[in-house]
Amino acid sequence: MDPHALMRIKNLQLRSKLVVEGFFGGLHRSPLHGASVEFSEYRAYSPGDDPRGLDWKLFARTDRYYIKKFEDETNRRCYLLVDQSQSMGYGSLEYTKMEYARTLAATLAYFLTLQRDHVGLMTFDEAIADVVPARSRVGHLRQILGCLARPTSGSGTDINGPISQIAAITRRRGLVVLISDMLSPTEELQRSLALLRSRQHEVIVLRILDPNEVHLSVDESKVLVDMETGRKIQVDPDATRKAYQAAFQEHAEAVESICNAVGAAIYTSTTDRPLQESLSDFVSAHQRRCVGASRSGMLSSGGTSG
């Protein structure tokens, strides 16, 4: 679904539902369906399997048979960390990065709820704002969506505080998804992400950028205002474009290098990209990590017994 049309829908829950339904519809039409949707909780039905394990709700959405694997053992705890700082309020389109990020967070919450996972939320700017514990019960999704829809009043960005807080309050291994433009200093980022990884949490970073931030689409001399500090800068596009692109690329490479160093998956999306594709990034990242963890466990078991 075109994100411009999607963002015109005022109801956040309806937006997320349309994205998830479109995602499942795309899987149903894909010729690679069998290879692309083997979530950790499911496997394709084979003749001889106990039909009591069939997930009929998933069948209703995909028209394909899947066996649910050990539901009690595979339910995850997932925390969505959503950046709501002033820099996320920028948008050269009909909507801002914040609207895109909120919709993506709502989509992930809706998707994980369908998977019967426990979902929590933490919103932040220069300080932590809302904290919703990871749960799976009636009405919990509505509480998450309500927090995402609240107006924000913060200015700066402190990514490290929420990450450290999540590491402190989550004792069980889980999934942490950071949704942010990552436009903040990187000095403490590696330490914070490494703390999560040291406690066996799976970490996925979904970086959200406006197309103008990637390419600096300014055609004439202008005064630009930093949305977080209020600092004004006179910009001559011909003189500064190359320097901006170099600095932007250097920062992007630094963030990606940090994520790779600690074993966190990172995906970058511009706000003109369909939400289904961002959801696909999330599913693919988690699927690969589940496969990697399973293989690691088998190797570890094999080495012990040998």
Side-chain angles (χ1 to χ4, degrees):
M1 186 175 184
D2 176 58
H4 292 81
L6 185 70
M7 295 301 172
R8 294 190 185 104
I9 299 172
K10 299 300 182 183
N11 188 289
L12 192 57
Q13 183 169 356
L14 180 56
R15 281 189 209 167
S16 60
K17 183 178 180 181
L18 288 172
V19 175
V20 173
E21 289 180 349
F23 173 75
F24 278 118
L27 292 178
H28 175 61
R29 293 188 295 271
S30 171
L32 301 176
H33 178 83
S36 61
V37 296
E38 290 180 356
F39 305 118
S40 59
E41 300 92 338
Y42 298 101
R43 64 174 173 81
Y45 174 81
S46 299
D49 287 332
D50 188 345
R52 291 177 296 179
L54 285 171
D55 189 298
W56 295 108
K57 291 184 178 180
L58 188 57
F59 170 76
R61 295 194 299 271
T62 65
D63 199 28
R64 292 178 182 269
Y65 296 103
Y66 288 93
I67 294 289
K68 184 173 293 294
K69 295 168 58 179
F70 312 112
E71 178 181 338
D72 291 339
E73 298 177 12
T74 58
N75 283 358
R76 294 185 299 267
R77 288 184 177 271
C78 174
Y79 269 95
L80 305 174
L81 274 57
V82 183
D83 182 355
Q84 295 192 334
S85 60
Q86 285 297 315
S87 69
M88 293 292 289
Y90 174 73
S92 64
L93 305 176
E94 299 172 6
Y95 49 90
T96 65
K97 290 185 291 182
M98 190 177 297
E99 277 302 304
Y100 188 96
R102 285 171 170 171
T103 305
L104 178 56
T107 296
L108 296 182
Y110 184 81
F111 176 82
L112 290 165
T113 299
L114 291 178
Q115 304 300 310
R116 300 178 178 85
D117 290 321
H118 295 74
V119 188
L121 173 73
M122 182 178 289
T123 62
F124 66 92
D125 37 61
E126 74 270 20
I128 296 171
D130 290 303
V131 179
V132 180
R135 293 172 180 159
S136 177
R137 64 185 187 186
V138 176
H140 188 65
L141 177 62
R142 188 176 298 110
Q143 182 182 1
I144 290 175
L145 297 180
C147 290
L148 287 172
R150 290 176 188 167
T152 58
S153 58
S155 54
T157 309
D158 177 15
I159 293 177
N160 303 299
I163 293 176
S164 300
Q165 181 72 3
I166 285 293
I169 66 177
T170 55
R171 297 182 179 179
R172 294 178 56 185
R173 181 172 62 181
L175 170 65
V176 177
V177 183
L178 173 60
I179 304 175
S180 170
D181 56 15
M182 305 300 289
L183 296 178
S184 61
T186 60
E187 287 77 9
E188 296 296 320
L189 182 60
Q190 182 163 348
R191 181 191 63 80
S192 299
L193 292 178
L195 176 61
L196 283 177
R197 295 292 293 136
S198 70
R199 300 190 178 183
Q200 303 302 307
H201 293 297
E202 177 188 352
V203 180
I204 300 174
V205 178
L206 300 178
R207 191 181 189 204
I208 309 301
L209 296 170
D210 187 273
N212 269 9
E213 293 175 323
V214 178
H215 302 293
L216 189 63
S217 301
V218 178
D219 298 325
E220 58 186 21
S221 181
K222 290 184 178 180
V223 175
L224 302 184
V225 180
D226 187 314
M227 298 184 70
E228 296 192 352
T229 65
R231 178 188 175 194
K232 296 181 179 180
I233 307 172
Q234 181 72 37
V235 174
D236 179 353
D238 295 330
T240 60
R241 182 172 283 110
K242 288 186 178 180
Y244 172 84
Q245 294 294 158
F248 183 88
Q249 185 64 26
E250 181 181 358
H251 182 269
E253 290 175 355
V255 172
E256 186 169 348
S257 177
I258 289 171
C259 290
N260 290 336
V262 302
I266 179 169
Y267 294 89
T268 299
S269 294
T270 52
T271 53
D272 56 353
R273 187 187 188 209
L275 270 295
Q276 284 91 344
E277 295 181 12
S278 296
L279 176 57
S280 180
D281 286 344
F282 166 80
V283 173
S284 298
H286 180 66
Q287 183 180 354
R288 282 197 296 272
R289 279 167 164 24
C290 286
V291 171
S294 298
R295 288 177 178 172
S296 176
M298 287 189 290
L299 289 173
S300 176
S301 299
T304 303
S305 61

